[in-house]
């Protein structure tokens, strides 16, 4: 199914490998027979239409949904054994922002997976959390309650929490949703920095024009993998048309996104 | 129904007054507080322990939006209690607790099952199970009451609760549950908070989300079962939800919410037990829940940030400040008409500027004088501003004109489109913003309509030069 394999794929173990991955809700498949082999150290965009299974793929890989079929390996290990190597940024709307916790409390949650049961976060964890908040320019808000934040600030708090997880492989579900242009630029800067330090990032993204600029590789998903490869090879009219199934508005967006390729 | 209730009221009333006159109120209070009476002691210890566990567990129910599930659970345990009694044919706490926990688990499972196999949503599923189990429980208890033999006295206490009926075995159970609940919250605090706030993230990070949920629900079921004796099945959920909801209004940090909720739970428990004791052992549950609801009502009305009254008061203060500032501005404009020749302005002129009636203008000027911004209205129906009032008047006019200038210059509004916007902004511009605007507009002297903009620097200088005299003008340049 993959239209091409990455020319720069390292000989090492792939960061993420799925085989025949199928997930169904009420017997209707949402993703079907997904085979991917994601090389380490890349910034990868997952794009596809609404309901195309982008979030479902992430949740299935992270063990949050029961698999109907197939298997997942993270750095060559089953998902349960690789949890500490994986970081996650859920959709911003998935939580209640009136919850009585501070920004700092939320970022510290990034450390809990490593801490283990019964252990409290210590000075080193707090220092690390402060550092992560500083990287997304949210340190001045550390003691605020989370409901007083704007959408972009909430998204940066989630990013800081993921940074605090200090993972090798990150899954981010629409980290740019409801974010202003300046915040988007600062988030993408952090993502590029992580990639440059050898981390692997899989990012669900909605905006086609920026997808072309942001990501090293793209995974085009509509229930099945339409294409996976370097952005320059798979971001083309024909493959996007196959991904989005000929929806007019999306297609005009695609056309606008790549004038130099027509 | 209503007529019946009305007919009953006088009799009840008379009976109660009779009771009070028989035993002295003070004597009752002393008897309760001294804890000499073993029955009172049991009730007090039970109420305190129950208050703590209800506050702790209820807080998690509230932040997880599971309050209704707590209610369903509290009602679902009732048939289990009755079956436990039928099994042992006596009020054996262990047999009844086992039956109740089993019924609770069955009820919760039934909710999940209905939700997952049909398209009936959670609220209806909860309502269905709550009703069915509760009805079954009542039916069983009523049947048991009709059975011959056995010690069944007090079975009806499980409906509305009776703290004084707590046996020492009951107390050990309540204490054990409070201890376990406290330990669970203390030791698993970070996991419980993380999985409550963001279950998806918690699961991805490897926290045992399902196990945590199960632990919380089991401890909750135990708290409900042991609490039934004191609070009763009807109102058990309220003891879980009400103190926690009151705490949620008063703080936005989880540790403080847990502490406050436990405190409120203890307070409600004690007050309920006391009131019930004062009235010859009426059911405790309703009194506890009334006390907890009173705490909630107080928090709802008076909580500093979210309370209705403080919010109303803040709005009121802001409105009256804006009204005062508008009156001050009107005085400034009246004086501007005469090139600041006359320090005093007539009420009539101010009314004209405000576009209000003369009596209304008089009221507003009286308010200014009450706030010592202005002199009282004199015999000639005139007022003059005190230095502080004049300073504020100049500041408001300056804010208004600066903002108009900013909109026309930097935001390219037409000059006849800026007034309404400035009317609002003038009251909220801070000192820093004003300085920024002045710099941005290169210390302007005139607004888009050609009127002079009073500058604060000049004002303060002239105030310090002539402290005895009200300032004549706030202009940068001396007037011709």
């Amino acid at each position: 199914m993959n239209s091409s394999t990455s020319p720069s794929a390292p000989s090492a173990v792939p960061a993420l490998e799925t085989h025949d991955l199928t997930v169904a809700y009420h017997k209707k498949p949402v993703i079907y027979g997904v085979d991917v082999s994601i090389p380490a150290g890349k910034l990868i965009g997952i794009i596809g239409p609404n309901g195309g299974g982008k979030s479902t793929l992430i949740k299935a890989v992270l063990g949050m949904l029961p698999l109907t079929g197939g298997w997942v390996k993270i750095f060559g290990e089953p998902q349960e054994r690789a949890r500490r190597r994986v970081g996650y940024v859920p959709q911003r709307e998935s939580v209640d922002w009136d919850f009585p916790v501070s920004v700092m409390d939320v970022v510290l949650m990034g450390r809990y997976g490593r801490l283990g049961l019964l252990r409290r976060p210590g000075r080193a964890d707090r220092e690390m959390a402060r550092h992560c908040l500083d990287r997304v320019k949210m340190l001045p808000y550390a003691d605020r309650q989370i409901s007083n934040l704007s959408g972009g600030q909430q998204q940066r708090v989630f990013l800081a929490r993921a940074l605090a997880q200090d993972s090798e492989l990150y899954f981010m579900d629409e980290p740019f949703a409801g974010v202003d242009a300046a915040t988007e630029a600062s988030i993408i800067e952090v993502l590029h920095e992580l990639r440059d330090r050898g981390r692997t990032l899989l990012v669900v993204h909605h905006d086609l024009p920026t997808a072309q600029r942001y990501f090293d590789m793209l995974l085009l998903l509509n229930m099945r993998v339409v294409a996976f490869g370097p952005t320059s090879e798979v971001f083309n009219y024909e493959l996007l048309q196959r991904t989005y199934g000929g929806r007019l508005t999306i297609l005009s967006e695609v056309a606008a996104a790549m004038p130099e390729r027509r | 129904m209503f007529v019946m209730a009305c007919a009953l009221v006088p009799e009840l009333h008379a009976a109660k007054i009779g009771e009070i006159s028989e035993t002295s109120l003070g004597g009752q209070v002393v008897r309760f507080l001294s804890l000499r009476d073993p029955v009172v002691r049991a009730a007090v210890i039970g109420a305190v322990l129950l208050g703590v566990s209800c506050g702790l567990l209820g807080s998690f129910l509230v932040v997880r939006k599971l309050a209704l599930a707590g209610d369903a659970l509290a009602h679902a345990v009732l048939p289990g209690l009755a079956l436990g009694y039928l099994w042992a044919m006596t009020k054996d706490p262990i047999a009844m607790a086992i039956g109740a926990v089993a019924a609770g688990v069955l009820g919760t499972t039934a909710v999940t099952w209905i939700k997952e196999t049909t398209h009936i949503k959670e609220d209806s599923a909860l309502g269905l199970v709550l009703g069915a189990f509760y009805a079954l429980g009542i039916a069983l208890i009523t049947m048991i009451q009709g059975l011959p033999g056995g010690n069944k006295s007090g079975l009806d206490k499980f409906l509305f609760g009776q703290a004084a009926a707590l046996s020492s075995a009951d107390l050990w159970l309540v204490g054990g549950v409070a201890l376990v609940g406290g330990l669970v919250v203390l030791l698993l605090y970070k996991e419980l908070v993380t999985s409550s706030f963001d279950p998806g993230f918690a699961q991805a990070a490897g926290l045992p989300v399902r196990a945590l949920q199960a632990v919380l629900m089991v401890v909750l079921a135990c708290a409900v079962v042991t609490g039934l004796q004191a609070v009763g099945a009807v109102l058990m959920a309220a003891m879980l939800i009400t103190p926690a909801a009151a705490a949620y209004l008063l703080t936005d940090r989880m540790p403080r919410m847990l502490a406050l909720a436990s405190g409120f739970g203890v307070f409600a428990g004690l007050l309920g037990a006391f009131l019930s004791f004062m009235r010859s052992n009426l059911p405790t549950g309703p009194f506890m829940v009334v006390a907890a609801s009173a705490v909630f009502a107080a928090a709802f009305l008076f909580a500093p940030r979210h309370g209705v009254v403080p919010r109303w008061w803040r709005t009121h203060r802001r409105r009256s400040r804006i009204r005062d500032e508008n009156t001050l501005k009107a005085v400034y404009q009246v004086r501007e008409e005469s090139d600041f020749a006359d320090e005093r302005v007539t009420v009539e002129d101010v009314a004209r500027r405000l576009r209000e009636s003369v009596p209304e203008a008089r009221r507003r000027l009286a308010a200014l004088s009450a706030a010592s911004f202005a002199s009282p209205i004199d015999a000639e129906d005139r007022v003059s501003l005190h230095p502080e009032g004049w300073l504020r008047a100049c500041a408001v006019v300056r804010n208004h004109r600066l903002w108009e200038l900013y909109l026309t210059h930097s935001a390219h509004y037409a000059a006849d489109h800026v007034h309404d916007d400035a009317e609002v902004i003038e009251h909220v511009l801070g000192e820093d913003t004003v300085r920024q605007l002045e710099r941005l507009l290169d210390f302007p002297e005139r607004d888009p309509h050609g009127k002079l903009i009073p500058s604060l620097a000049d004002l303060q200088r002239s105030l310090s030069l002539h402290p005895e005299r009200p300032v004549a003008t706030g202009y940068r340049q001396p007037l011709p």
Side-chain angles (χ1 to χ4, degrees), chain A residues 133-165:
Chain A
L133 272 175
D134 197 31
R135 273 176 75 188
V136 298
K137 301 186 186 73
M138 284 296 288
L139 191 53
Y141 297 86
D143 293 326
R144 289 262 195 109
Q145 200 259 328
I146 53 172
S147 64
N148 301 322
L149 305 177
S150 72
Q153 290 171 333
Q154 291 174 347
Q155 205 77 72
R156 281 187 278 160
V157 171
F158 266 8
L159 185 60
R161 181 176 67 173
L163 291 176
Q165 289 186 284

Side-chain angles (χ1 to χ4, degrees), chain A residues 98 100 116 119-120 143 161, chain B residues 186 190 194 198 248 253-254:
Chain A
D98 280 331
R119 281 183 55 203
R120 301 250 151 165
D143 293 326
R161 181 176 67 173
Chain B
L186 191 72
K190 71 179 198 299
T194 307
D198 193 346
Y248 194 23
R253 291 294 186 283
M254 198 65 193

